[in-house]
Structure formats: C-alpha cells, structure tokens
Amino acid sequence: MKDLFDFCEFGELKLNSRIVRTGLFESERESAGNLTPEIYNRYENIAASGVGLIITELFSLYPRDVFSKNSHTVNYTRFVREAKDLTDLVHVYDVPIFAQLGFVHFNKRTEQNLKPEELTIEDIRKIQTDHIIAAQKMDFAGFDGIQLALGNGYFLSRFISPASNLREDNYGGNTLNRLRMVLELIKVMKQNTKLHINCRLNAFDGTEDGMTLEETIKIAKLLEKHGVDSLQITQPIIPQFQEYENDEKNPLTDATEKIINEVSIPVILGGRLRKQNQINNILNSTDIDFVSMQKPFVADPSFLVDWRIEGNGVSFCQNCYNCISKRTSTCHLKPCSPEYYNKSD
C-alpha cells in the first residue's frame, strides 16, 4: 500500500513524502524583487510540514511580462544571495526545491505579445539564452532543479501547440520541430548546470486543433529522450476540467497514468486535489506515485502537519481561485471561516 507520507525516490532525489508543492504568484516580495521575511517564513513552514518537494512561485523571465509585477524575478541585484538563503533554509529540512521559470508574452521593443510565427531566429536564440542564463543563476543560488513552464497558457506552451504555432520552418510543423526550441535550450542547460530539469505540461488543451493526449505523450517521450528528468502533468483552467469528487471521472488522472506508462522518468499528477483519502485512493488505484498541490498551501502552508496527525485531512481551500485571480500568495477566504472566528473568541 502506498501512502502520501511515504519516503520515496524522485529520480536522483530523496523525498520525505509524495506531495509536491507547486507555487502560484509572489505578492509579498518588495517592488524591486527582494525577498521579504514573510516569504522566508512561508517557505520554512512548507518545508517543515512534511512536503516532499517544493516548486517555487513563478520566476518571470522578463520584467515587462504580464505577470512580472506579481512574481519572483531573477533580474534584481541580490537575487542569487537572497535565493541562496532561501534554498539553504529549505534544505535544513532535507527538502529539495525547484525554481519555476516561465513567461506569458514575448515583447520586442514596440512589438507586443508576439505570436510564435512572428519570432525571428534571433528572437528564438534570445529566449533560449535568457532561459539558460536564468538556469545558471538558479544553480548558483542552490536550487536542486528548475521547472520549465510548458503548460497553462505560458508562451512555450503556445509554441509547442499545433493550434498556435503556425511556423513553416524548422521550429514549426511536426511535433519535433515545435519542440525544437525547448530541446535545444535543455541540452545547453544540462551541459552547464547540475539542475534536475522538470517540465510542466498540459495533458490536453481542450481546444480545437490543440494539444491532445496523444500529442502530449509524443512530447513527453521526446523530452525524456533529450534529458528531461521529470514531468508534471497539469490542465488548462477551463470549466469542463474542474475538480471531480469521483476520481474515476477525472480525465487528468487517467491521462497522467497513460503518460506514466510511456516514459521511465517520474511523473507528477497535478489538478485541484485537496483531500487526503482522495489522494491515497489515487496512489493505490493507479501507477501514479507523486501528486502536486498549489492552493491548499496558500490556504495553510502547514496543513500537512494536521493531515499526518489526523489521517483523514481535508484542505480548507475551497478552490475559489481568488488567490489566482487577485495574483496573491495569500488566501482570501480563511479570515472569514468559522474556525477563524471560533479561535478568536
């Protein structure tokens, strides 16, 4: 029997549990990008809670990107020094930590939000170079790995999708060509850093001519072949793919298991999980070994402590999406909960 609190291996890494914390946005940083005491405190609480692996909030690659003001950035002066303090703090609890890296819009001088087919070869080289430089900074800062955002509407997810990449050169058309930019930058990252490389992929897009599960499986196999160490499977935030109480009807669970059966690297299930029994049922009825959670850690960074004690935990998170829509790292419902007022009496 598998349990979410099992000690386990994740490639070359050893984890204290099967739970992967994936970050959202970082609203508590200073305007210049510097980390605040609140950030360090939150990460320490998460690391001490029993989590297996931490993936940070998004590090936005470009300061002019749409989410840059709500995210970490690698471009401020003290990034490596402060990030090293953060990774050292997390490592005290024997928890590995990955830096999540991505961007939504590619802007070039007065040209805004360029489409994949509008990029020149020089633009592609710039994007690749910027990723590689950022990865080297992450390596210097003590991160164990990096997560490349290839899903959830980020720019690279649009570049690899047949619905949005209309290029007719070697960076468009078939699956390998659409993935070529990513594979090339991964090759250089592997040659120049010690980082574990994780890629976050949509299992499917749910859009006409977009990413199907069959296409995602092809991409997953190519990523593994070219050196990617693990995958995280996610889904677009659209109504038909919301959380299902009956896991047998959840298309993401089934899709993730199919991907697992096609690759030999670790694969993480994502997607709105918030119940301990629900997660253990998935672990013991499928080939899935790792699950990720986002919003429950926003609602309570230490909730896994209670789960370990109670054995039947349910996250306070209501999947209201305010922490996403308001671009914050704090829960907007918890101060209104009955538990909060009971404790205040």
Side-chain angles (χ1 to χ4, degrees), residues 272-304:
R272 303 170 182 85
L273 300 171
R274 52 184 293 271
K275 300 178 181 178
Q276 186 172 359
N277 284 345
Q278 174 192 31
I279 293 171
N280 278 328
N281 286 339
I282 291 173
L283 292 174
N284 287 288
S285 62
T286 70
D287 293 324
I288 294 168
D289 290 325
F290 307 98
V291 298
S292 71
M293 306 176 79
Q294 291 183 330
K295 300 183 294 298
F297 283 103
V298 178
D300 180 0
S302 301
F303 76 94
L304 288 178

Side-chain angles (χ1 to χ4, degrees), residues 105-172:
H105 294 155
F106 183 73
N107 304 314
K108 184 171 64 174
R109 295 183 289 277
T110 60
E111 300 175 80
Q112 303 292 304
N113 193 15
L114 294 182
K115 299 177 181 178
E117 62 269 21
E118 294 173 332
L119 268 60
T120 66
I121 296 300
E122 289 73 19
D123 295 332
I124 290 175
R125 296 292 177 260
K126 174 174 172 52
I127 291 171
Q128 292 174 321
T129 301
D130 292 339
H131 274 87
I132 293 161
I133 292 172
Q136 289 177 316
K137 289 184 177 180
M138 305 300 183
D139 198 14
F140 294 150
F143 287 99
D144 301 281
I146 189 169
Q147 181 180 79
L148 298 178
L150 307 186
N152 303 119
Y154 288 101
F155 184 84
L156 292 182
S157 73
R158 301 203 302 275
F159 205 94
I160 67 177
S161 171
S164 51
N165 183 342
L166 305 180
R167 298 179 69 94
E168 297 180 352
D169 61 0
N170 289 337
Y171 291 94

Side-chain angles (χ1 to χ4, degrees), residues 19-35:
I19 297 292
V20 178
R21 180 271 194 174
T22 301
L24 291 166
F25 303 105
E26 186 53 81
S27 62
E28 294 180 325
R29 69 172 177 85
E30 295 178 356
S31 58
N34 299 77
L35 305 185

Side-chain angles (χ1 to χ4, degrees), residues 229-271:
D229 299 294
S230 64
L231 302 171
Q232 180 178 351
I233 306 304
T234 184
Q235 59 194 32
I237 304 174
I238 50 181
Q240 59 263 44
F241 299 134
Q242 296 299 312
E243 179 187 13
Y244 291 79
E245 291 299 322
N246 184 346
D247 297 312
E248 293 180 356
K249 296 180 180 180
N250 187 337
L252 189 60
T253 302
D254 182 57
T256 300
E257 188 170 24
K258 289 179 179 178
I259 294 169
I260 288 171
N261 292 332
E262 296 290 338
V263 298
S264 58
I265 55 178
V267 180
I268 306 164
L269 168 68

Side-chain angles (χ1 to χ4, degrees), residues 43-251:
Y43 273 84
E44 183 169 20
N45 286 332
I46 294 171
S49 71
V51 72
L53 168 66
I54 292 176
I55 301 175
T56 67
E57 280 88 3
L58 176 70
F59 282 93
S60 186
L61 192 61
Y62 296 118
R64 294 172 58 201
D65 191 26
V66 62
F67 289 146
S68 61
K69 66 179 180 180
N70 308 110
S71 302
H72 286 303
T73 174
V74 297
N75 299 311
Y76 68 94
T77 305
R78 292 179 55 83
F79 165 75
V80 172
R81 182 68 183 87
E82 293 188 353
K84 186 64 167 62
D85 289 338
L86 182 66
T87 59
D88 285 346
L89 179 62
V90 169
H91 288 153
V92 167
Y93 298 91
D94 295 323
V95 175
I97 179 169
F98 293 177
Q100 180 186 169
L101 183 65
F103 68 103
V104 178
H105 294 155
F106 183 73
N107 304 314
K108 184 171 64 174
R109 295 183 289 277
T110 60
E111 300 175 80
Q112 303 292 304
N113 193 15
L114 294 182
K115 299 177 181 178
E117 62 269 21
E118 294 173 332
L119 268 60
T120 66
I121 296 300
E122 289 73 19
D123 295 332
I124 290 175
R125 296 292 177 260
K126 174 174 172 52
I127 291 171
Q128 292 174 321
T129 301
D130 292 339
H131 274 87
I132 293 161
I133 292 172
Q136 289 177 316
K137 289 184 177 180
M138 305 300 183
D139 198 14
F140 294 150
F143 287 99
D144 301 281
I146 189 169
Q147 181 180 79
L148 298 178
L150 307 186
N152 303 119
Y154 288 101
F155 184 84
L156 292 182
S157 73
R158 301 203 302 275
F159 205 94
I160 67 177
S161 171
S164 51
N165 183 342
L166 305 180
R167 298 179 69 94
E168 297 180 352
D169 61 0
N170 289 337
Y171 291 94
N174 62 40
T175 305
L176 177 60
N177 281 355
R178 284 182 278 108
L179 195 60
R180 187 181 302 275
M181 177 168 67
V182 175
L183 298 180
E184 289 174 343
L185 70 87
I186 286 171
K187 178 180 179 180
V188 180
M189 281 184 184
K190 297 294 286 188
Q191 292 172 341
N192 291 276
T193 74
K194 304 182 296 294
L195 296 171
H196 176 118
I197 296 181
N198 172 276
C199 289
R200 188 171 177 177
L201 284 171
N202 287 346
F204 35 67
D205 284 348
T207 58
E208 186 176 357
D209 299 323
M211 292 283 290
T212 63
L213 176 58
E214 290 72 22
E215 185 69 11
T216 297
I217 289 174
K218 291 181 184 178
I219 289 176
K221 294 166 89 170
L222 283 168
L223 289 171
E224 179 185 21
K225 179 180 178 181
H226 287 81
V228 167
D229 299 294
S230 64
L231 302 171
Q232 180 178 351
I233 306 304
T234 184
Q235 59 194 32
I237 304 174
I238 50 181
Q240 59 263 44
F241 299 134
Q242 296 299 312
E243 179 187 13
Y244 291 79
E245 291 299 322
N246 184 346
D247 297 312
E248 293 180 356
K249 296 180 180 180
N250 187 337

